[in-house]
Amino acid sequence: MSNQVTTAFVQQYSQNLAHLAQQKGSRLRGLVRTEGVRAKQAFFDQIGSQTASVRTTRGADTIINDTPHARRRVTLADYEVADLIDDQDKLRMIVDPTSSYAQAQAFAIGRAMDDVIISAATGTAYTGETGTTSVTLSGYNSGSQVIAAGGTAMTIAKLREAKFILDNADVDPSIPRVIVVSPKQIQDLLATTEVTSSDFNTVKALAQGQITDFLGF
């Protein structure tokens, strides 16, 4: 065999493009309400709860209770992601990257959606007739909706407090309850006995390495 045969060795290349590890699309889009808007800004009117009054006297005047109204303003933001593919480049490639590029861009838009949802949930809302009154999460109901940090770790006590806030406000139990947590917070919960022990929890958290249901969330 010629010592120069290595010159004839061939190179084999994949006919597919593999996406590297990444979050493929939005995780939170299905948890929020979506609306079609054709304007710079949109307003959504809201009605609060009423309170019934006891009638104590026959023939007494009907008690009028004002129905509480609120309005929430939303402002549209534009996001885009793009790249260029030359026809000449395609001729020099085994793989047509068009569909893979489109998939990667769709993943990016989905992740941007999650960033917007998290920012809106924890940021400033705009209310009032013209949507010019700003309300922060910490200022809403004098901060009663915010759980004290008490350190950086996610704890069972914080989840219990979140459940109490929702229950105490008589939030409709038919609405699914979801906690949005980071991998570090999941790690914190997996280190607690209440989550991993079958004496407290029927979910096999340690076996699956994830928490799917806990305290109704």
Side-chain angles (χ1 to χ4, degrees), residues 23-111:
Q23 178 184 324
K24 295 183 177 180
S26 173
R27 295 178 180 176
L28 306 180
R29 183 178 182 180
L31 304 177
V32 299
R33 169 180 161 191
T34 58
E35 295 278 352
V37 176
R38 295 182 62 86
K40 179 181 178 180
Q41 295 178 332
F43 294 84
F44 298 94
D45 292 320
Q46 303 164 323
I47 290 182
S49 60
Q50 270 278 25
T51 302
S53 301
V54 177
R55 178 185 287 273
T56 58
T57 306
R58 294 186 70 252
D61 292 339
T62 300
I63 299 175
I64 303 300
N65 296 317
D66 287 336
T67 301
H69 280 254
R71 174 172 288 172
R72 181 63 57 88
R73 188 194 81 192
V74 297
T75 302
L76 271 67
D78 301 319
Y79 286 78
E80 61 186 9
V81 55
D83 203 346
L84 298 175
I85 303 175
D86 287 337
D87 288 338
Q88 293 89 336
D89 293 337
K90 291 183 181 180
L91 296 175
R92 292 166 172 81
M93 299 176 65
I94 296 177
V95 180
D96 183 350
T98 306
S99 62
S100 296
Y101 276 31
Q103 281 185 321
Q105 291 164 355
F107 296 159
I109 290 294
R111 293 192 295 270

Side-chain angles (χ1 to χ4, degrees), residues 148-155 158:
T152 58
M154 173 61 74
T155 63
K158 292 177 182 178

Side-chain angles (χ1 to χ4, degrees), residues 48-51 141 145 162-175 177:
S49 60
Q50 270 278 25
T51 302
N141 283 355
Q145 310 299 309
K163 173 177 169 56
F164 169 76
I165 291 174
L166 295 175
D167 292 343
N168 196 47
D170 289 326
V171 174
D172 187 349
S174 68
I175 300 175
R177 297 182 177 184

